[in-house]
PDB file of all heavy atoms in Angstrom:
ATOM      1  N   PRO J   2     -76.994  11.035 -91.590  1.00 46.00           N
ATOM      2  CA  PRO J   2     -77.098   9.597 -91.363  1.00 46.00           C
ATOM      3  C   PRO J   2     -75.748   8.934 -91.397  1.00 46.00           C
ATOM      4  O   PRO J   2     -74.755   9.503 -91.837  1.00 46.00           O
ATOM      5  CB  PRO J   2     -77.971   9.122 -92.536  1.00 46.00           C
ATOM      6  CG  PRO J   2     -77.737  10.128 -93.606  1.00 46.00           C
ATOM      7  CD  PRO J   2     -77.525  11.427 -92.904  1.00 46.00           C
ATOM      8  N   ALA J   3     -75.705   7.690 -90.897  1.00 47.00           N
ATOM      9  CA  ALA J   3     -74.470   6.924 -90.906  1.00 47.00           C
ATOM     10  C   ALA J   3     -74.092   6.574 -92.341  1.00 47.00           C
ATOM     11  O   ALA J   3     -74.922   6.554 -93.246  1.00 47.00           O
ATOM     12  CB  ALA J   3     -74.647   5.650 -90.086  1.00 47.00           C
ATOM     13  N   SER J   4     -72.798   6.314 -92.535  1.00 50.00           N
ATOM     14  CA  SER J   4     -72.328   5.881 -93.846  1.00 50.00           C
ATOM     15  C   SER J   4     -72.970   4.546 -94.197  1.00 50.00           C
ATOM     16  O   SER J   4     -73.109   3.669 -93.350  1.00 50.00           O
ATOM     17  CB  SER J   4     -70.808   5.724 -93.818  1.00 50.00           C
ATOM     18  OG  SER J   4     -70.353   5.069 -94.975  1.00 50.00           O
ATOM     19  N   ARG J   7     -71.327   1.010 -93.222  1.00 96.00           N
ATOM     20  CA  ARG J   7     -71.026   0.662 -91.840  1.00 96.00           C
ATOM     21  C   ARG J   7     -71.708  -0.652 -91.463  1.00 96.00           C
ATOM     22  O   ARG J   7     -72.789  -0.985 -91.956  1.00 96.00           O
ATOM     23  CB  ARG J   7     -71.451   1.786 -90.884  1.00 96.00           C
ATOM     24  CG  ARG J   7     -70.467   2.960 -90.920  1.00 96.00           C
ATOM     25  CD  ARG J   7     -71.029   4.173 -90.250  1.00 96.00           C
ATOM     26  NE  ARG J   7     -71.000   4.130 -88.791  1.00 96.00           N
ATOM     27  CZ  ARG J   7     -69.915   4.378 -88.048  1.00 96.00           C
ATOM     28  NH1 ARG J   7     -68.760   4.636 -88.627  1.00 96.00           N
ATOM     29  NH2 ARG J   7     -69.986   4.360 -86.731  1.00 96.00           N
ATOM     30  N   VAL J  34     -76.268  -6.805 -88.003  1.00 98.00           N
ATOM     31  CA  VAL J  34     -76.288  -8.178 -87.518  1.00 98.00           C
ATOM     32  C   VAL J  34     -77.247  -8.220 -86.333  1.00 98.00           C
ATOM     33  O   VAL J  34     -76.995  -7.601 -85.296  1.00 98.00           O
ATOM     34  CB  VAL J  34     -74.896  -8.664 -87.102  1.00 98.00           C
ATOM     35  CG1 VAL J  34     -74.972 -10.080 -86.518  1.00 98.00           C
ATOM     36  CG2 VAL J  34     -73.940  -8.623 -88.287  1.00 98.00           C
ATOM     37  N   VAL J  71     -68.941 -15.495 -78.233  1.00 97.00           N
ATOM     38  CA  VAL J  71     -68.904 -14.096 -78.660  1.00 97.00           C
ATOM     39  C   VAL J  71     -67.686 -13.843 -79.545  1.00 97.00           C
ATOM     40  O   VAL J  71     -67.769 -13.120 -80.549  1.00 97.00           O
ATOM     41  CB  VAL J  71     -68.909 -13.149 -77.444  1.00 97.00           C
ATOM     42  CG1 VAL J  71     -68.678 -11.700 -77.875  1.00 97.00           C
ATOM     43  CG2 VAL J  71     -70.236 -13.261 -76.687  1.00 97.00           C
ATOM     44  N   THR J  76     -65.709 -12.887 -85.054  1.00 98.00           N
ATOM     45  CA  THR J  76     -64.921 -13.404 -86.175  1.00 98.00           C
ATOM     46  C   THR J  76     -65.803 -13.647 -87.397  1.00 98.00           C
ATOM     47  O   THR J  76     -65.431 -13.303 -88.527  1.00 98.00           O
ATOM     48  CB  THR J  76     -64.210 -14.709 -85.774  1.00 98.00           C
ATOM     49  OG1 THR J  76     -63.317 -14.445 -84.687  1.00 98.00           O
ATOM     50  CG2 THR J  76     -63.408 -15.266 -86.940  1.00 98.00           C
ATOM     51  N   PHE J 103     -84.747 -11.408 -52.152  1.00 98.00           N
ATOM     52  CA  PHE J 103     -84.354 -11.692 -53.536  1.00 98.00           C
ATOM     53  C   PHE J 103     -83.596 -13.016 -53.621  1.00 98.00           C
ATOM     54  O   PHE J 103     -82.690 -13.287 -52.833  1.00 98.00           O
ATOM     55  CB  PHE J 103     -83.483 -10.562 -54.095  1.00 98.00           C
ATOM     56  CG  PHE J 103     -83.510 -10.486 -55.602  1.00 98.00           C
ATOM     57  CD1 PHE J 103     -84.504  -9.775 -56.237  1.00 98.00           C
ATOM     58  CD2 PHE J 103     -82.567 -11.150 -56.366  1.00 98.00           C
ATOM     59  CE1 PHE J 103     -84.553  -9.702 -57.620  1.00 98.00           C
ATOM     60  CE2 PHE J 103     -82.607 -11.091 -57.745  1.00 98.00           C
ATOM     61  CZ  PHE J 103     -83.607 -10.363 -58.379  1.00 98.00           C
ATOM     62  N   HIS J 112     -77.027 -11.139 -63.266  1.00 98.00           N
ATOM     63  CA  HIS J 112     -75.668 -10.619 -63.307  1.00 98.00           C
ATOM     64  C   HIS J 112     -74.906 -11.202 -64.495  1.00 98.00           C
ATOM     65  O   HIS J 112     -74.144 -10.499 -65.173  1.00 98.00           O
ATOM     66  CB  HIS J 112     -74.953 -10.961 -61.989  1.00 98.00           C
ATOM     67  CG  HIS J 112     -73.647 -10.267 -61.801  1.00 98.00           C
ATOM     68  ND1 HIS J 112     -72.491 -10.685 -62.415  1.00 98.00           N
ATOM     69  CD2 HIS J 112     -73.306  -9.165 -61.072  1.00 98.00           C
ATOM     70  CE1 HIS J 112     -71.491  -9.889 -62.066  1.00 98.00           C
ATOM     71  NE2 HIS J 112     -71.958  -8.959 -61.260  1.00 98.00           N
ATOM     72  N   GLY J 118     -72.258 -10.426 -69.599  1.00 98.00           N
ATOM     73  CA  GLY J 118     -72.534 -10.349 -71.031  1.00 98.00           C
ATOM     74  C   GLY J 118     -72.087  -9.034 -71.636  1.00 98.00           C
ATOM     75  O   GLY J 118     -71.454  -9.006 -72.704  1.00 98.00           O
ATOM     76  N   VAL J 121     -68.214  -9.034 -71.676  1.00 98.00           N
ATOM     77  CA  VAL J 121     -67.655  -9.902 -72.718  1.00 98.00           C
ATOM     78  C   VAL J 121     -67.756  -9.239 -74.086  1.00 98.00           C
ATOM     79  O   VAL J 121     -66.793  -9.213 -74.863  1.00 98.00           O
ATOM     80  CB  VAL J 121     -68.366 -11.277 -72.709  1.00 98.00           C
ATOM     81  CG1 VAL J 121     -68.028 -12.068 -73.969  1.00 98.00           C
ATOM     82  CG2 VAL J 121     -67.969 -12.071 -71.471  1.00 98.00           C
ATOM     83  N   GLY J 150     -87.727  -2.591 -54.947  1.00 96.00           N
ATOM     84  CA  GLY J 150     -87.891  -3.758 -55.790  1.00 96.00           C
ATOM     85  C   GLY J 150     -86.928  -3.822 -56.958  1.00 96.00           C
ATOM     86  O   GLY J 150     -86.792  -4.869 -57.589  1.00 96.00           O
ATOM     87  N   TYR J 151     -86.244  -2.738 -57.237  1.00 94.00           N
ATOM     88  CA  TYR J 151     -85.357  -2.675 -58.395  1.00 94.00           C
ATOM     89  C   TYR J 151     -83.872  -2.759 -58.032  1.00 94.00           C
ATOM     90  O   TYR J 151     -83.018  -2.574 -58.887  1.00 94.00           O
ATOM     91  CB  TYR J 151     -85.595  -1.378 -59.180  1.00 94.00           C
ATOM     92  CG  TYR J 151     -86.835  -1.388 -60.042  1.00 94.00           C
ATOM     93  CD1 TYR J 151     -88.088  -1.131 -59.480  1.00 94.00           C
ATOM     94  CD2 TYR J 151     -86.762  -1.637 -61.407  1.00 94.00           C
ATOM     95  CE1 TYR J 151     -89.237  -1.128 -60.260  1.00 94.00           C
ATOM     96  CE2 TYR J 151     -87.907  -1.631 -62.198  1.00 94.00           C
ATOM     97  CZ  TYR J 151     -89.130  -1.380 -61.626  1.00 94.00           C
ATOM     98  OH  TYR J 151     -90.262  -1.385 -62.405  1.00 94.00           O
ATOM     99  N   ALA J 152     -83.547  -3.033 -56.783  1.00 97.00           N
ATOM    100  CA  ALA J 152     -82.155  -2.947 -56.342  1.00 97.00           C
ATOM    101  C   ALA J 152     -81.242  -3.895 -57.110  1.00 97.00           C
ATOM    102  O   ALA J 152     -80.154  -3.507 -57.569  1.00 97.00           O
ATOM    103  CB  ALA J 152     -82.053  -3.223 -54.843  1.00 97.00           C
ATOM    104  N   GLY J 159     -75.709  -0.334 -62.759  1.00 97.00           N
ATOM    105  CA  GLY J 159     -74.635   0.499 -62.223  1.00 97.00           C
ATOM    106  C   GLY J 159     -73.276  -0.034 -62.629  1.00 97.00           C
ATOM    107  O   GLY J 159     -72.354   0.729 -62.964  1.00 97.00           O
ATOM    108  N   ALA J 160     -73.150  -1.350 -62.633  1.00 98.00           N
ATOM    109  CA  ALA J 160     -71.900  -1.968 -63.078  1.00 98.00           C
ATOM    110  C   ALA J 160     -71.637  -1.684 -64.552  1.00 98.00           C
ATOM    111  O   ALA J 160     -70.503  -1.424 -64.968  1.00 98.00           O
ATOM    112  CB  ALA J 160     -71.945  -3.474 -62.820  1.00 98.00           C
ATOM    113  N   VAL J 161     -72.695  -1.732 -65.364  1.00 98.00           N
ATOM    114  CA  VAL J 161     -72.545  -1.438 -66.788  1.00 98.00           C
ATOM    115  C   VAL J 161     -72.051  -0.008 -66.988  1.00 98.00           C
ATOM    116  O   VAL J 161     -71.138   0.246 -67.797  1.00 98.00           O
ATOM    117  CB  VAL J 161     -73.882  -1.651 -67.527  1.00 98.00           C
ATOM    118  CG1 VAL J 161     -73.831  -1.054 -68.931  1.00 98.00           C
ATOM    119  CG2 VAL J 161     -74.218  -3.131 -67.595  1.00 98.00           C
ATOM    120  N   ARG J 173     -58.502   5.752 -75.398  1.00 97.00           N
ATOM    121  CA  ARG J 173     -57.915   7.019 -75.826  1.00 97.00           C
ATOM    122  C   ARG J 173     -57.058   6.812 -77.082  1.00 97.00           C
ATOM    123  O   ARG J 173     -56.251   5.878 -77.158  1.00 97.00           O
ATOM    124  CB  ARG J 173     -57.044   7.589 -74.707  1.00 97.00           C
ATOM    125  CG  ARG J 173     -56.243   8.826 -75.089  1.00 97.00           C
ATOM    126  CD  ARG J 173     -55.356   9.280 -73.943  1.00 97.00           C
ATOM    127  NE  ARG J 173     -56.162   9.778 -72.829  1.00 97.00           N
ATOM    128  CZ  ARG J 173     -56.580  11.043 -72.725  1.00 97.00           C
ATOM    129  NH1 ARG J 173     -56.292  11.911 -73.682  1.00 97.00           N
ATOM    130  NH2 ARG J 173     -57.282  11.423 -71.676  1.00 97.00           N
ATOM    131  N   GLY J 214     -92.048   5.849 -72.751  1.00 88.00           N
ATOM    132  CA  GLY J 214     -91.233   5.896 -73.939  1.00 88.00           C
ATOM    133  C   GLY J 214     -91.614   4.780 -74.890  1.00 88.00           C
ATOM    134  O   GLY J 214     -92.212   3.779 -74.489  1.00 88.00           O
ATOM    135  N   ALA J 217     -88.852   3.250 -80.373  1.00 95.00           N
ATOM    136  CA  ALA J 217     -88.329   4.154 -81.408  1.00 95.00           C
ATOM    137  C   ALA J 217     -87.664   5.383 -80.794  1.00 95.00           C
ATOM    138  O   ALA J 217     -86.705   5.925 -81.365  1.00 95.00           O
ATOM    139  CB  ALA J 217     -89.446   4.579 -82.354  1.00 95.00           C
ATOM    140  N   ASN J 241     -85.477   9.501 -71.082  1.00 92.00           N
ATOM    141  CA  ASN J 241     -86.628   9.146 -70.256  1.00 92.00           C
ATOM    142  C   ASN J 241     -87.729  10.202 -70.209  1.00 92.00           C
ATOM    143  O   ASN J 241     -88.559  10.184 -69.316  1.00 92.00           O
ATOM    144  CB  ASN J 241     -86.151   8.818 -68.838  1.00 92.00           C
ATOM    145  CG  ASN J 241     -85.383   9.971 -68.203  1.00 92.00           C
ATOM    146  OD1 ASN J 241     -85.600  11.123 -68.523  1.00 92.00           O
ATOM    147  ND2 ASN J 241     -84.463   9.633 -67.297  1.00 92.00           N
TER     148      ASN J 241
END
Side-chain angles (χ1 to χ4, degrees):
S4 169
R7 284 167 77 79
V34 177
V71 172
T76 299
F103 204 86
H112 191 281
V121 167
Y151 283 81
V161 167
R173 173 183 292 273
N241 57 28

